[in-house]
Amino acid sequence: MSNPQFDFSGQVALVTGAASGIGETTALQFASAGAAVVLADVSAEAGNNLAQRINNQGGEAVFVQADISSAQDCDAMVQSAIENFKRLDIAFNNAAIMGSMTPTADYQGDEWRKVLEINVGGLFNCLQSEIKAMRDLGTGGAVVNNASIMGLRGGHKVPAYSASKHAVVGLTRSAALDHARDNIRVNAVCPGFVMTPMAQDSLNPRAREALISRTPLARLAEPKEIANVVMWLTSSGAAYITGVAIPVDGGYTAG
């Protein structure tokens, strides 16, 4: 397996929410660029299938079933990287949930708490486990958190998701400041509308065209276009970048 754009040979990358969509594509690209990959997801079947696929193609991958809202699960996925590959260089914190599309006044409290527990509490758990390991290893590292354009501006009928993604951007900046002297860089990627399997299932043609009409580049993103930015942010080419939240949105937030 090879990716001519990047070379991560000898490095170890951890990807959460790795079993589908942006996480799956990013994990495959890290593997194709020479990294050993630790795949974490709540879906054991899809995660194990992806690990087998990478290994069959000549890469190195292990799967860990993990619910990021559990600090113990986050510790276990990081420990898997250390036990299997002796190091952890890169983490892409991609796992999150959307929640329902409901106006703020009508949003259910239980669902609000669930979205924030996973998207904010889960990210905090991941960051703690990953950064502690990188710091203890003394090798530095690069972390990318998957935020959203909804972490940069509001969105209709997504109060919990938007609030959680604003929190992701804030956590990213704080962690970057806290651990720059440990040679650990922490950044965020903020995707716009991406044609993942989940989006394909949930968007009817009218809704899809409406999103395209609001995007200056007049199309939705492909998962690989988000993965490419994640890989750049974790590469040596971005060695002087930390604490940023980069929109990858076809110009949506420019207006």
Side-chain angles (χ1 to χ4, degrees):
M1 302 176 72
S2 64
N3 185 323
Q5 287 185 279
F6 302 100
D7 184 3
F8 290 99
S9 300
Q11 297 189 52
V12 178
L14 167 64
V15 179
T16 71
S20 64
I22 295 170
E24 178 185 12
T25 299
T26 305
L28 287 167
Q29 291 200 188
F30 272 125
S32 73
V37 186
V38 178
L39 311 167
D41 202 281
V42 293
S43 174
E45 181 178 2
N48 279 312
N49 287 342
L50 180 59
Q52 184 176 12
R53 178 180 170 189
I54 291 171
N55 290 321
N56 288 345
Q57 292 175 353
E60 290 184 279
V62 296
F63 171 71
V64 181
Q65 187 172 22
D67 175 353
I68 63 168
S69 67
S70 163
Q72 290 77 17
D73 280 11
C74 291
D75 286 342
M77 69 188 187
V78 170
Q79 189 58 35
S80 177
I82 307 304
E83 289 177 354
N84 285 281
F85 304 117
K86 313 304 180 188
R87 59 188 297 141
L88 178 63
D89 304 283
I90 295 162
F92 177 40
N93 294 316
N94 169 68
I97 61 172
M98 182 75 180
S100 66
M101 295 191 67
T102 306
T104 301
D106 303 318
Y107 210 87
Q108 295 297 308
D110 287 346
E111 186 171 17
W112 167 270
R113 285 183 285 274
K114 181 179 180 181
V115 172
L116 268 68
E117 179 185 18
I118 293 173
N119 293 4
V120 183
L123 175 65
F124 177 73
N125 292 337
C126 290
L127 285 171
Q128 279 207 319
S129 298
E130 294 155 359
I131 291 173
K132 284 179 180 178
M134 291 174 176
R135 185 179 62 186
D136 290 348
L137 289 164
T139 54
V143 178
V144 175
N145 301 318
N146 197 353
S148 166
I149 55 172
M150 295 306 154
L152 302 175
R153 61 191 300 173
H156 293 291
K157 298 183 179 181
V158 286
Y161 186 76
S162 183
S164 74
K165 292 303 185 177
H166 275 73
V168 169
V169 173
L171 272 170
T172 296
R173 291 170 175 159
S174 290
L177 293 173
D178 287 340
H179 297 286
R181 296 301 175 90
D182 298 314
N183 195 30
I184 299 169
R185 298 185 298 106
V186 187
N187 293 296
V189 63
C190 301
F193 304 105
V194 185
M195 276 315 294
T196 62
M198 182 173 67
Q200 290 175 328
D201 291 341
S202 62
L203 289 177
N204 60 48
R206 183 177 178 181
R208 180 176 176 177
E209 289 306 313
L211 292 178
I212 290 172
S213 71
R214 293 161 60 190
T215 303
L217 287 183
R219 65 178 178 83
L220 305 185
E222 296 293 334
K224 66 181 180 181
E225 294 176 303
I226 313 304
N228 285 338
V229 178
V230 173
M231 294 182 74
W232 176 70
L233 282 171
T234 57
S235 75
S236 59
Y240 201 58
I241 297 175
T242 194
V244 305
I246 297 181
V248 190
D249 63 0
Y252 184 88
T253 55

